[in-house]
Amino acid sequence: MSARVAVVGSSNLDLVVTASRLPHPGETVLGENFRTVPGGKGANQAVAAARAGAACDFVGAVGDDEFGTQMRASLAGAGVGVRGLRTVAGASGIALIAVDRDAENFIVVAPGANGTLTELDADDRATIAAADVLLLQLEVPLAAVVQAAGWARGAGTTVVLNAAPAAVLPTGLFDLVDVLVVNEHEAAVVAGVFSEDPSVLLDALLELVPRVVLTRGARGAAYADRRGLRLAVPAPRIDAVDTTAAGDAFTGALAVGWAERGGATTDDTVLASLRWACAAGAACAQRHGASTALPERSAIDALYDATYRGTP
């Protein structure tokens, strides 16, 4: 049977411009290409999980505008269940994204309808309880994140929190998290420890949660848990063209791999899940866009096999 993943999070329309380089503060840079792409960390991770092979349901909110209609259709078209996607009066969320020729980017988000997701209902609770993994981020109000995590804990659903955008979080939320996924900047903010040493960041985060995945871009990912397991997973070598949604591809695939392999049952299953997630992130970075770049399972498997098969 397919892994079941529930996502409570944001959906935005991404307004994306490419340029030779990113502007400095106060500077105008001429762009090259412009496109609109359905996105948002929550929606991206839901699509990533669905394309990676999960039965995925999404809980979120869009506005009663053209953008909202477009985002609902995009999610449904990717095979994501949208019964939990509300339509509210007002504007949908948007993200302004600039990408340079080195595949680096900056992103500014206007939450719009995402800011109305402050309370979940009985249908949302049933969706969470039916899932193997609940995937959360921080682009919707914290009240909904905490409530969803609490319901998941009560139902025995694994809680994976991607603490992005970075924020100082309440201790009560950490008590409900099974796996924390952060990049190095987010790790420093969440832990309140600023260091370039991944081991220092991992140690600090293990004071808060039982398992930590530290994403490191082209350098792969690091993992630590309270049992004492430490792993460093290199990323596949690729020619990256756009890293905008690579983190979401990684996190969505991690949730699927974690569910399919029974979680942290053995060191080998953790390692395999991390490698598969790294392959998903790398496959995504080979294509332009956000949701449009999220890879299908076949692409993840191909890059996983090419990079890790036969590796201890």
Side-chain angles (χ1 to χ4, degrees), residues 133-150:
V133 173
L134 170 66
L135 192 48
L136 299 166
Q137 318 78 32
L138 300 175
E139 287 187 341
V140 296
L142 190 59
V145 174
V146 173
Q147 190 176 80

Side-chain angles (χ1 to χ4, degrees), residues 26 34 70 73-74 97 103 139 172 210 297:
F34 172 76
Q70 183 176 345
S74 175
I97 302 174
E139 287 187 341
R297 188 181 185 101

Side-chain angles (χ1 to χ4, degrees), residues 67-97:
F67 290 170
T69 301
Q70 183 176 345
M71 288 185 286
R72 180 180 294 275
S74 175
L75 283 163
V80 176
V82 294
R83 188 176 68 170
L85 181 60
R86 294 107 161 111
T87 298
V88 301
S92 297
I94 65 163
L96 304 178
I97 302 174

